[in-house]
Amino acid sequence: MTFHIDAELLDDAASIEALIETCFGPNRKGRTVYQFRDGIPPVHELCFVARNEADRMLGSIRFWPVQTGDGRILPLLGPLAVLPECQGQGIGRTLITHGLGAAERMGFPAVLIVGKPDYYVPFGFDRGLADGLTLPGPVAPLTFMAMEFPGHEGCLDHYAGLVKPADNWSHPVFSHKDCLAS
């Protein structure tokens, strides 16, 4: 299958919402991670869609700004949604790789996710990296994980506390010393 990745456009919002509804159903709004999205805009620079040659949307990925208990901002990956009939064809993996690359270029030292370990571990996500952080509710059967970008290994050792929505977020620029600050 041939597809390309584009930045999400304002006009994509309704299509993305329909895609997410198709993939996750109406009960998604009761999940812990939804409170990080409810009424809070995603990190616009980290929102992408996959389209086929006919410009049909096949998948979407978004990242949301969250704040750790010690005041640091990180992106939370999700949701990643791919049309059911297109799953297993590399669209989700390509969206993740593209989104993580963009987050790294923005200067974030790490990314958080609530997801299925068997899918996200190959991208570098690890349950142990999120050990110092907690969420304001359950995530089972999914798992709270994190990944650190090259050059920032160990930075999450210095992040701690309850993760909450970052509703007053503005575009930060991080350096390695920022993620090690206590």
Side-chain angles (χ1 to χ4, degrees), residues 11-33:
D11 292 345
D12 291 330
S15 296
I16 290 170
E17 186 59 31
L19 174 64
I20 292 168
E21 176 78 19
T22 297
C23 293
F24 299 105
N27 292 337
R28 73 187 183 285
K29 294 182 179 183
R31 294 180 180 173
T32 296
V33 293

Side-chain angles (χ1 to χ4, degrees), residues 76-91:
L76 176 69
L77 190 162
L80 167 68
V82 176
L83 287 173
E85 66 268 23
C86 298
Q87 293 177 4
Q89 299 183 43
I91 296 167

Side-chain angles (χ1 to χ4, degrees), residues 12-179:
D12 291 330
S15 296
I16 290 170
E17 186 59 31
L19 174 64
I20 292 168
E21 176 78 19
T22 297
C23 293
F24 299 105
N27 292 337
R28 73 187 183 285
K29 294 182 179 183
R31 294 180 180 173
T32 296
V33 293
Y34 190 78
Q35 68 185 286
F36 295 102
R37 304 172 189 146
D38 191 23
I40 298 170
V43 180
H44 177 73
E45 300 89 344
L46 300 179
C47 296
F48 302 99
V49 296
R51 301 181 198 278
N52 66 11
E53 295 153 341
D55 219 26
R56 178 181 181 218
M57 185 182 300
L58 307 175
S60 167
I61 190 168
R62 289 175 163 174
F63 292 75
W64 302 83
V66 297
Q67 185 173 5
T68 63
D70 52 1
R72 295 180 171 117
I73 304 293
L74 289 173
L76 176 69
L77 190 162
L80 167 68
V82 176
L83 287 173
E85 66 268 23
C86 298
Q87 293 177 4
Q89 299 183 43
I91 296 167
R93 290 187 302 275
T94 302
L95 283 165
I96 292 170
T97 300
H98 191 87
L100 291 175
E104 183 177 20
R105 287 188 299 279
M106 282 182 73
F108 288 106
V111 172
L112 305 176
I113 189 167
V114 174
K116 296 178 181 177
D118 58 333
Y119 189 80
Y120 290 100
V121 165
F123 294 98
F125 286 93
D126 184 300
R127 180 181 323 194
L129 292 175
D131 278 348
L133 301 169
T134 57
L135 292 175
V139 296
L142 304 175
T143 302
F144 183 43
M145 298 175 283
M147 61 91 56
E148 299 167 325
F149 290 115
H152 297 282
E153 294 87 352
C155 74
L156 289 172
D157 295 345
H158 304 278
Y159 282 54
L162 180 67
V163 176
K164 60 183 182 179
D167 50 3
N168 292 323
W169 181 79
S170 63
H171 186 282
V173 177
F174 290 95
S175 70
H176 190 58
K177 71 177 181 67
D178 291 330
C179 75

